[in-house]
Amino acid sequence: MAEHRTMQRGALLDAARSLLSEGGTEALTFPALAERTGLARSSVYEYFRSRAAVVEELCAVDFPVWAAEVETAMAAADTPEAKVAAYVRKQLDLVGDRRHRAVVAISAGELDDGAREKIRAAHGGLVAMVVEALAALGTPEPRLAAMLLQGVVDAAVRRIELGAAEHPDRIAEAAVTMALHGVTGPTP
């Protein structure tokens, strides 16, 4: 029975990912979850008490996987510059991934304070990964710089997701250049 409940919970989370990546937080409703999974709406309430509870669980399950991929990419880089570039590029590589799209949709949505706090904590963990590389580059306030750098990454993510005129690789390279050299770009 416990295994069946785990499978149902997994199916509900997978359906939630799809709904979020297709239509944002407005698409994540209990009737839609019930329809996607073939469960009765009352059954959905047995697993999650609210939409916020679904969101919190998705963050708890998906964000660490996404962060681990960023961390692995950074660990493979051998210089502080390469680590910063890997931090930016890997997050942008994950834009097409449903887990990532769901997390982005969640971040943009209307959430209760508990869910918002969990997202903030998860983002804080992601930002903390790049602080050391920025300090090694001689950045005067590496924590502040890391938070601002994440803002550049978030803007690049939105640009890619909007289907901007620029190719996603071009957006990624512009974000890396801004991360490493600011708005003036590398000096010749």
Side-chain angles (χ1 to χ4, degrees):
M1 185 68 188
E3 186 178 318
H4 179 70
R5 285 191 63 78
T6 302
M7 284 176 53
Q8 295 283 46
R9 191 176 205 86
L12 284 164
L13 289 175
D14 203 45
R17 282 181 198 99
S18 294
L19 290 165
L20 284 164
S21 64
E22 291 162 16
T25 52
E26 306 80 47
L28 180 61
T29 65
F30 278 37
L33 282 171
E35 186 181 324
R36 287 279 169 109
T37 56
L39 293 170
R41 194 182 318 181
S42 59
S43 296
V44 176
Y45 283 100
E46 289 176 31
Y47 292 90
F48 298 103
R49 69 188 181 288
S50 65
R51 240 168 43 135
V54 177
V55 165
E56 285 183 35
E57 183 139 348
L58 272 179
C59 286
V61 170
D62 290 351
F63 210 98
V65 174
W66 175 27
E69 291 187 39
V70 174
E71 192 168 24
T72 299
M74 289 180 71
D78 52 3
T79 66
E81 290 89 349
K83 286 183 186 306
V84 171
Y87 176 83
V88 173
R89 279 195 190 100
K90 190 60 182 178
Q91 287 188 68
L92 298 179
D93 285 348
L94 294 170
V95 168
D97 183 300
R98 255 177 354 124
R99 287 168 313 177
H100 179 268
R101 283 206 309 267
V103 169
V104 169
I106 289 166
S107 299
E110 296 298 312
L111 301 172
D112 67 25
D113 290 342
R116 203 179 334 278
E117 189 49 47
K118 282 199 169 61
I119 290 167
R120 231 188 322 272
H123 266 285
L126 191 62
V127 167
M129 283 190 241
V130 79
V131 171
E132 189 179 326
L134 291 168
L137 287 172
T139 305
E141 293 185 66
R143 179 108 183 106
L144 174 59
M147 288 186 268
L148 296 174
L149 170 58
Q150 187 59 44
V152 169
V153 172
D154 293 343
V157 164
R158 281 191 300 279
R159 187 122 186 106
I160 291 169
E161 289 198 328
L162 288 171
E166 306 89 4
H167 189 276
D169 291 346
R170 180 68 208 108
I171 295 170
E173 288 317 304
V176 168
T177 297
M178 183 164 282
L180 294 173
H181 307 289
V183 293
T184 59
T187 50

